[in-house]
Amino acid sequence: MTVYDELVARGLIAQVTDEEEIKELVNNGKAVFYIGFDPTADSLHVGHFMALCLMKRLQMAGNKPIALIGGGTAMIGDPSGRTDMRQMMTKETINHNVECFKKQMSRFIDFSDGKAMLVNNADWLLDLNYVELLREVGACFSVNNMLRAECYKQRMEKGLSFLEFNYMIMQSYDFYELYQKYGCNMQFGGNDQWSNMLGGTELIRRKLGPDADAYAMTITLLLNSEGKKMGKTQSGAVWLDPNKTSPFDFYQYWRNVADADVMKCIRMLTFLPLEEIDAMDSWEGSKLNEAKEILAFELTKLVHGEEEAQKAQDAARALFSNGGDTANMPACAVTEEDLRDGTVDILALLVKSGLAGTRSEARRNVTQGGVTLDGEKVTDFKAAYTLDDFKGEGKVLKRGKKKFIKIVAE
């Protein structure tokens, strides 16, 4: 099976401009491709995961990835998939986020010995002369075509600022610049970027001639069976930074995916051989839980390393078997400051641990029978505990089937 055929078999490819030419480049290790990452936060998240895995796959096949950090485009903000305008960030914030991205990307991409490049589009976008850009680049874009693009159409009713309207031109200019500077012949991105990517291939051909070899391929968006983007929880995004989403919580996110999504995620995101995955397609019932463990372990290993993945798996198994070693489970410490008249009540524990947002929410959780402490259901919302109750190894506080934390005395 060729590299391109494997991408198709894994369900990764959504749209391509010139399939035969792209096959030739990818299969023969001749693709110099880029994927853009706008540094809108100080960590990459699950939404970036697919792109990072694709870069890793293609690099393993001899192709050269360029990770383009959008230090310039982040000054504007991508309107794709959004109903409102992004918050404006300072240069200092963007630069800090860029440094965080670099560190995380090195887990997936080998930047040694010229095998990959990491560049920042601030290096060329921030120095552009506005009038020159209008004359040299703006003349290559049809406003009529731009307004037909999905990323703009969905914003027209609420209002699209001229600032954001320029985003397609900026992204297209990135491809034009990378093509000339580094011989970049291909752009990959999420399927919601298709219009912006076509803008890049068209700009290159208009400026450099119809024989300029510039191609685009979009990656299937990671959606669950309900059609919603994966990688979000009630408390926000699932981050790749262990300080924002712990390895344990990262593991649990994938361990808890819906039955209908587990095999798709294994196929698209893990590096397990396709033959092994095909054999799992018929798994049902309890075997699906085994598949979820495999998914969670493989992805946690990719992001945080094998040791952290093993710790997370051991802690999860200990919890669900109501015994075993809970040493690697996320913990919440209670101290003297949390006590009222020498005790801390169950509602305070639920709120402090983050299992409930407010005391009233915590009270509902208890009265509805959804809270346990060390395997025993808590039925009284006035139940109170002393620090001695949590000394030693502590106790596991659980809300519902999937939310839990270890309470320890400090």
mmCIF file of all heavy atoms in Angstrom, residues 62-100:
data_model
loop_
_atom_site.group_PDB
_atom_site.id
_atom_site.type_symbol
_atom_site.label_atom_id
_atom_site.label_comp_id
_atom_site.label_asym_id
_atom_site.label_seq_id
_atom_site.Cartn_x
_atom_site.Cartn_y
_atom_site.Cartn_z
ATOM 1 N N GLY A 62 9.519 10.175 4.144
ATOM 2 C CA GLY A 62 10.567 10.877 3.424
ATOM 3 C C GLY A 62 10.215 12.266 2.934
ATOM 4 O O GLY A 62 11.027 12.936 2.291
ATOM 5 N N ASN A 63 8.986 12.728 3.199
ATOM 6 C CA ASN A 63 8.585 14.066 2.788
ATOM 7 C C ASN A 63 9.042 15.101 3.825
ATOM 8 O O ASN A 63 9.310 14.754 4.974
ATOM 9 C CB ASN A 63 7.067 14.132 2.612
ATOM 10 C CG ASN A 63 6.580 13.190 1.531
ATOM 11 O OD1 ASN A 63 6.747 13.450 0.342
ATOM 12 N ND2 ASN A 63 5.985 12.066 1.931
ATOM 13 N N LYS A 64 9.109 16.353 3.415
ATOM 14 C CA LYS A 64 9.637 17.398 4.298
ATOM 15 C C LYS A 64 8.534 18.345 4.767
ATOM 16 O O LYS A 64 7.949 19.070 3.963
ATOM 17 C CB LYS A 64 10.726 18.200 3.574
ATOM 18 C CG LYS A 64 11.399 19.238 4.456
ATOM 19 C CD LYS A 64 12.551 19.912 3.711
ATOM 20 C CE LYS A 64 13.257 20.938 4.576
ATOM 21 N NZ LYS A 64 14.418 21.529 3.881
ATOM 22 N N PRO A 65 8.249 18.347 6.067
ATOM 23 C CA PRO A 65 7.214 19.243 6.578
ATOM 24 C C PRO A 65 7.766 20.630 6.932
ATOM 25 O O PRO A 65 8.902 20.770 7.383
ATOM 26 C CB PRO A 65 6.716 18.544 7.845
ATOM 27 C CG PRO A 65 7.703 17.483 8.171
ATOM 28 C CD PRO A 65 8.724 17.410 7.092
ATOM 29 N N ILE A 66 6.932 21.622 6.705
ATOM 30 C CA ILE A 66 7.199 22.974 7.199
ATOM 31 C C ILE A 66 6.059 23.327 8.148
ATOM 32 O O ILE A 66 4.891 23.381 7.728
ATOM 33 C CB ILE A 66 7.255 24.005 6.057
ATOM 34 C CG1 ILE A 66 8.378 23.672 5.068
ATOM 35 C CG2 ILE A 66 7.452 25.410 6.615
ATOM 36 C CD1 ILE A 66 8.410 24.591 3.838
ATOM 37 N N ALA A 67 6.394 23.514 9.405
ATOM 38 C CA ALA A 67 5.390 23.960 10.377
ATOM 39 C C ALA A 67 5.403 25.478 10.357
ATOM 40 O O ALA A 67 6.391 26.102 10.739
ATOM 41 C CB ALA A 67 5.729 23.435 11.764
ATOM 42 N N LEU A 68 4.324 26.063 9.876
ATOM 43 C CA LEU A 68 4.251 27.516 9.772
ATOM 44 C C LEU A 68 3.478 28.072 10.966
ATOM 45 O O LEU A 68 2.278 27.815 11.121
ATOM 46 C CB LEU A 68 3.554 27.936 8.474
ATOM 47 C CG LEU A 68 3.393 29.452 8.304
ATOM 48 C CD1 LEU A 68 4.751 30.118 8.106
ATOM 49 C CD2 LEU A 68 2.471 29.780 7.139
ATOM 50 N N ILE A 69 4.182 28.799 11.816
ATOM 51 C CA ILE A 69 3.526 29.433 12.959
ATOM 52 C C ILE A 69 3.010 30.794 12.507
ATOM 53 O O ILE A 69 3.752 31.603 11.947
ATOM 54 C CB ILE A 69 4.514 29.614 14.139
ATOM 55 C CG1 ILE A 69 5.190 28.294 14.490
ATOM 56 C CG2 ILE A 69 3.784 30.194 15.341
ATOM 57 C CD1 ILE A 69 4.293 27.261 15.070
ATOM 58 N N GLY A 70 1.749 31.047 12.760
ATOM 59 C CA GLY A 70 1.118 32.266 12.254
ATOM 60 C C GLY A 70 1.280 33.458 13.172
ATOM 61 O O GLY A 70 0.285 34.028 13.640
ATOM 62 N N GLY A 71 2.523 33.868 13.409
ATOM 63 C CA GLY A 71 2.746 35.055 14.231
ATOM 64 C C GLY A 71 2.202 36.317 13.587
ATOM 65 O O GLY A 71 1.879 37.284 14.276
ATOM 66 N N GLY A 72 2.094 36.306 12.255
ATOM 67 C CA GLY A 72 1.535 37.442 11.528
ATOM 68 C C GLY A 72 0.028 37.342 11.360
ATOM 69 O O GLY A 72 -0.715 38.279 11.666
ATOM 70 N N THR A 73 -0.447 36.173 10.887
ATOM 71 C CA THR A 73 -1.892 36.003 10.671
ATOM 72 C C THR A 73 -2.667 36.056 11.984
ATOM 73 O O THR A 73 -3.841 36.444 11.998
ATOM 74 C CB THR A 73 -2.180 34.674 9.942
ATOM 75 O OG1 THR A 73 -1.277 33.662 10.407
ATOM 76 C CG2 THR A 73 -2.025 34.820 8.449
ATOM 77 N N ALA A 74 -2.024 35.703 13.103
ATOM 78 C CA ALA A 74 -2.714 35.760 14.396
ATOM 79 C C ALA A 74 -3.038 37.200 14.791
ATOM 80 O O ALA A 74 -3.911 37.443 15.628
ATOM 81 C CB ALA A 74 -1.853 35.107 15.481
ATOM 82 N N MET A 75 -2.341 38.172 14.161
ATOM 83 C CA MET A 75 -2.645 39.578 14.418
ATOM 84 C C MET A 75 -4.000 39.970 13.821
ATOM 85 O O MET A 75 -4.602 40.966 14.206
ATOM 86 C CB MET A 75 -1.552 40.473 13.805
ATOM 87 C CG MET A 75 -0.156 40.221 14.319
ATOM 88 S SD MET A 75 0.124 40.852 15.979
ATOM 89 C CE MET A 75 0.180 42.613 15.682
ATOM 90 N N ILE A 76 -4.463 39.158 12.852
ATOM 91 C CA ILE A 76 -5.732 39.439 12.181
ATOM 92 C C ILE A 76 -6.836 38.519 12.719
ATOM 93 O O ILE A 76 -7.877 38.963 13.166
ATOM 94 C CB ILE A 76 -5.591 39.257 10.656
ATOM 95 C CG1 ILE A 76 -4.638 40.317 10.106
ATOM 96 C CG2 ILE A 76 -6.945 39.348 9.968
ATOM 97 C CD1 ILE A 76 -4.312 40.152 8.642
ATOM 98 N N GLY A 77 -6.597 37.208 12.673
ATOM 99 C CA GLY A 77 -7.590 36.251 13.156
ATOM 100 C C GLY A 77 -8.352 35.609 12.026
ATOM 101 O O GLY A 77 -8.844 36.285 11.122
ATOM 102 N N ASP A 78 -8.433 34.283 12.062
ATOM 103 C CA ASP A 78 -9.095 33.498 11.028
ATOM 104 C C ASP A 78 -10.602 33.472 11.284
ATOM 105 O O ASP A 78 -11.036 33.027 12.344
ATOM 106 C CB ASP A 78 -8.527 32.073 11.046
ATOM 107 C CG ASP A 78 -9.098 31.204 9.946
ATOM 108 O OD1 ASP A 78 -9.927 31.694 9.164
ATOM 109 O OD2 ASP A 78 -8.704 30.023 9.878
ATOM 110 N N PRO A 79 -11.434 33.929 10.331
ATOM 111 C CA PRO A 79 -12.887 33.891 10.538
ATOM 112 C C PRO A 79 -13.498 32.509 10.331
ATOM 113 O O PRO A 79 -14.668 32.291 10.650
ATOM 114 C CB PRO A 79 -13.406 34.871 9.478
ATOM 115 C CG PRO A 79 -12.398 34.797 8.384
ATOM 116 C CD PRO A 79 -11.065 34.565 9.061
ATOM 117 N N SER A 80 -12.732 31.544 9.803
ATOM 118 C CA SER A 80 -13.284 30.222 9.472
ATOM 119 C C SER A 80 -13.898 29.557 10.696
ATOM 120 O O SER A 80 -13.263 29.450 11.743
ATOM 121 C CB SER A 80 -12.185 29.313 8.910
ATOM 122 O OG SER A 80 -11.604 29.882 7.776
ATOM 123 N N GLY A 81 -15.138 29.099 10.538
ATOM 124 C CA GLY A 81 -15.793 28.333 11.594
ATOM 125 C C GLY A 81 -16.191 29.150 12.804
ATOM 126 O O GLY A 81 -16.563 28.598 13.836
ATOM 127 N N ARG A 82 -16.143 30.477 12.707
ATOM 128 C CA ARG A 82 -16.466 31.316 13.859
ATOM 129 C C ARG A 82 -17.665 32.195 13.550
ATOM 130 O O ARG A 82 -17.899 32.612 12.419
ATOM 131 C CB ARG A 82 -15.273 32.193 14.245
ATOM 132 C CG ARG A 82 -14.074 31.413 14.734
ATOM 133 C CD ARG A 82 -12.975 32.349 15.195
ATOM 134 N NE ARG A 82 -13.373 33.143 16.342
ATOM 135 C CZ ARG A 82 -13.276 32.738 17.591
ATOM 136 N NH1 ARG A 82 -12.807 31.552 17.876
ATOM 137 N NH2 ARG A 82 -13.645 33.513 18.593
ATOM 138 N N THR A 83 -18.427 32.505 14.603
ATOM 139 C CA THR A 83 -19.591 33.377 14.436
ATOM 140 C C THR A 83 -19.284 34.794 14.908
ATOM 141 O O THR A 83 -20.080 35.705 14.727
ATOM 142 C CB THR A 83 -20.786 32.829 15.250
ATOM 143 O OG1 THR A 83 -20.381 32.690 16.625
ATOM 144 C CG2 THR A 83 -21.232 31.491 14.711
ATOM 145 N N ASP A 84 -18.132 34.991 15.556
ATOM 146 C CA ASP A 84 -17.760 36.331 16.000
ATOM 147 C C ASP A 84 -16.265 36.548 15.785
ATOM 148 O O ASP A 84 -15.538 35.630 15.450
ATOM 149 C CB ASP A 84 -18.114 36.534 17.484
ATOM 150 C CG ASP A 84 -17.501 35.465 18.376
ATOM 151 O OD1 ASP A 84 -16.775 34.588 17.854
ATOM 152 O OD2 ASP A 84 -17.737 35.499 19.595
ATOM 153 N N MET A 85 -15.834 37.763 16.000
ATOM 154 C CA MET A 85 -14.440 38.116 15.756
ATOM 155 C C MET A 85 -13.552 37.641 16.903
ATOM 156 O O MET A 85 -13.962 37.687 18.068
ATOM 157 C CB MET A 85 -14.331 39.638 15.611
ATOM 158 C CG MET A 85 -12.984 40.135 15.143
ATOM 159 S SD MET A 85 -13.115 41.869 14.666
ATOM 160 C CE MET A 85 -11.461 42.417 15.030
ATOM 161 N N ARG A 86 -12.356 37.161 16.574
ATOM 162 C CA ARG A 86 -11.413 36.730 17.608
ATOM 163 C C ARG A 86 -10.916 37.938 18.402
ATOM 164 O O ARG A 86 -10.854 39.049 17.907
ATOM 165 C CB ARG A 86 -10.199 36.031 16.971
ATOM 166 C CG ARG A 86 -10.522 34.692 16.348
ATOM 167 C CD ARG A 86 -9.254 34.016 15.868
ATOM 168 N NE ARG A 86 -9.566 32.795 15.137
ATOM 169 C CZ ARG A 86 -9.736 31.607 15.716
ATOM 170 N NH1 ARG A 86 -9.640 31.494 17.017
ATOM 171 N NH2 ARG A 86 -10.014 30.545 14.984
ATOM 172 N N GLN A 87 -10.527 37.668 19.657
ATOM 173 C CA GLN A 87 -9.924 38.712 20.469
ATOM 174 C C GLN A 87 -8.568 39.097 19.881
ATOM 175 O O GLN A 87 -7.806 38.251 19.446
ATOM 176 C CB GLN A 87 -9.719 38.217 21.900
ATOM 177 C CG GLN A 87 -10.903 38.458 22.804
ATOM 178 C CD GLN A 87 -10.508 38.233 24.254
ATOM 179 O OE1 GLN A 87 -9.779 37.319 24.584
ATOM 180 N NE2 GLN A 87 -11.004 39.078 25.119
ATOM 181 N N MET A 88 -8.281 40.384 19.898
ATOM 182 C CA MET A 88 -6.993 40.860 19.415
ATOM 183 C C MET A 88 -5.923 40.566 20.462
ATOM 184 O O MET A 88 -6.146 40.789 21.652
ATOM 185 C CB MET A 88 -7.059 42.370 19.143
ATOM 186 C CG MET A 88 -8.108 42.743 18.102
ATOM 187 S SD MET A 88 -7.656 42.209 16.449
ATOM 188 C CE MET A 88 -6.542 43.532 15.998
ATOM 189 N N MET A 89 -4.777 40.052 20.027
ATOM 190 C CA MET A 89 -3.693 39.721 20.946
ATOM 191 C C MET A 89 -2.508 40.653 20.734
ATOM 192 O O MET A 89 -2.275 41.141 19.634
ATOM 193 C CB MET A 89 -3.237 38.274 20.726
ATOM 194 C CG MET A 89 -4.294 37.231 21.018
ATOM 195 S SD MET A 89 -3.598 35.564 20.937
ATOM 196 C CE MET A 89 -3.103 35.492 19.229
ATOM 197 N N THR A 90 -1.743 40.857 21.797
ATOM 198 C CA THR A 90 -0.544 41.679 21.677
ATOM 199 C C THR A 90 0.576 40.862 21.043
ATOM 200 O O THR A 90 0.555 39.630 21.053
ATOM 201 C CB THR A 90 -0.071 42.160 23.056
ATOM 202 O OG1 THR A 90 0.331 41.014 23.830
ATOM 203 C CG2 THR A 90 -1.173 42.908 23.787
ATOM 204 N N LYS A 91 1.596 41.562 20.528
ATOM 205 C CA LYS A 91 2.755 40.880 19.950
ATOM 206 C C LYS A 91 3.446 40.016 20.995
ATOM 207 O O LYS A 91 3.935 38.918 20.692
ATOM 208 C CB LYS A 91 3.749 41.900 19.383
ATOM 209 C CG LYS A 91 3.343 42.500 18.051
ATOM 210 C CD LYS A 91 4.454 43.392 17.503
ATOM 211 C CE LYS A 91 4.040 44.039 16.194
ATOM 212 N NZ LYS A 91 5.110 44.909 15.656
ATOM 213 N N GLU A 92 3.499 40.511 22.229
ATOM 214 C CA GLU A 92 4.168 39.770 23.305
ATOM 215 C C GLU A 92 3.467 38.438 23.566
ATOM 216 O O GLU A 92 4.117 37.400 23.731
ATOM 217 C CB GLU A 92 4.201 40.609 24.596
ATOM 218 C CG GLU A 92 5.104 41.835 24.559
ATOM 219 C CD GLU A 92 4.520 42.979 23.722
ATOM 220 O OE1 GLU A 92 3.282 43.012 23.518
ATOM 221 O OE2 GLU A 92 5.311 43.829 23.265
ATOM 222 N N THR A 93 2.137 38.475 23.605
ATOM 223 C CA THR A 93 1.364 37.245 23.831
ATOM 224 C C THR A 93 1.582 36.266 22.684
ATOM 225 O O THR A 93 1.797 35.067 22.902
ATOM 226 C CB THR A 93 -0.142 37.566 23.962
ATOM 227 O OG1 THR A 93 -0.326 38.440 25.065
ATOM 228 C CG2 THR A 93 -0.956 36.300 24.171
ATOM 229 N N ILE A 94 1.533 36.768 21.464
ATOM 230 C CA ILE A 94 1.725 35.909 20.286
ATOM 231 C C ILE A 94 3.106 35.265 20.315
ATOM 232 O O ILE A 94 3.253 34.059 20.088
ATOM 233 C CB ILE A 94 1.518 36.721 18.995
ATOM 234 C CG1 ILE A 94 0.040 37.101 18.838
ATOM 235 C CG2 ILE A 94 1.979 35.929 17.765
ATOM 236 C CD1 ILE A 94 -0.240 38.095 17.726
ATOM 237 N N ASN A 95 4.137 36.049 20.631
ATOM 238 C CA ASN A 95 5.504 35.517 20.662
ATOM 239 C C ASN A 95 5.665 34.448 21.739
ATOM 240 O O ASN A 95 6.356 33.443 21.529
ATOM 241 C CB ASN A 95 6.508 36.651 20.893
ATOM 242 C CG ASN A 95 6.637 37.561 19.681
ATOM 243 O OD1 ASN A 95 6.333 37.153 18.560
ATOM 244 N ND2 ASN A 95 7.067 38.787 19.884
ATOM 245 N N HIS A 96 5.024 34.664 22.882
ATOM 246 C CA HIS A 96 5.060 33.647 23.948
ATOM 247 C C HIS A 96 4.403 32.352 23.472
ATOM 248 O O HIS A 96 4.932 31.252 23.672
ATOM 249 C CB HIS A 96 4.338 34.171 25.200
ATOM 250 C CG HIS A 96 4.102 33.122 26.242
ATOM 251 N ND1 HIS A 96 5.118 32.586 27.013
ATOM 252 C CD2 HIS A 96 2.964 32.467 26.616
ATOM 253 C CE1 HIS A 96 4.624 31.663 27.825
ATOM 254 N NE2 HIS A 96 3.322 31.574 27.600
ATOM 255 N N ASN A 97 3.250 32.484 22.817
ATOM 256 C CA ASN A 97 2.534 31.308 22.318
ATOM 257 C C ASN A 97 3.345 30.566 21.259
ATOM 258 O O ASN A 97 3.335 29.332 21.200
ATOM 259 C CB ASN A 97 1.173 31.716 21.749
ATOM 260 C CG ASN A 97 0.230 32.256 22.818
ATOM 261 O OD1 ASN A 97 0.511 32.146 24.014
ATOM 262 N ND2 ASN A 97 -0.866 32.839 22.403
ATOM 263 N N VAL A 98 4.058 31.325 20.430
ATOM 264 C CA VAL A 98 4.896 30.726 19.384
ATOM 265 C C VAL A 98 5.952 29.815 20.015
ATOM 266 O O VAL A 98 6.181 28.682 19.558
ATOM 267 C CB VAL A 98 5.577 31.820 18.527
ATOM 268 C CG1 VAL A 98 6.703 31.231 17.692
ATOM 269 C CG2 VAL A 98 4.555 32.507 17.621
ATOM 270 N N GLU A 99 6.594 30.287 21.088
ATOM 271 C CA GLU A 99 7.627 29.489 21.763
ATOM 272 C C GLU A 99 7.039 28.208 22.350
ATOM 273 O O GLU A 99 7.664 27.146 22.314
ATOM 274 C CB GLU A 99 8.296 30.316 22.863
ATOM 275 C CG GLU A 99 9.146 31.468 22.345
ATOM 276 C CD GLU A 99 10.200 31.006 21.343
ATOM 277 O OE1 GLU A 99 10.914 30.018 21.622
ATOM 278 O OE2 GLU A 99 10.306 31.627 20.255
ATOM 279 N N CYS A 100 5.832 28.305 22.896
ATOM 280 C CA CYS A 100 5.157 27.120 23.453
ATOM 281 C C CYS A 100 4.859 26.098 22.358
ATOM 282 O O CYS A 100 5.028 24.890 22.550
ATOM 283 C CB CYS A 100 3.860 27.526 24.158
ATOM 284 S SG CYS A 100 4.093 28.570 25.608
#
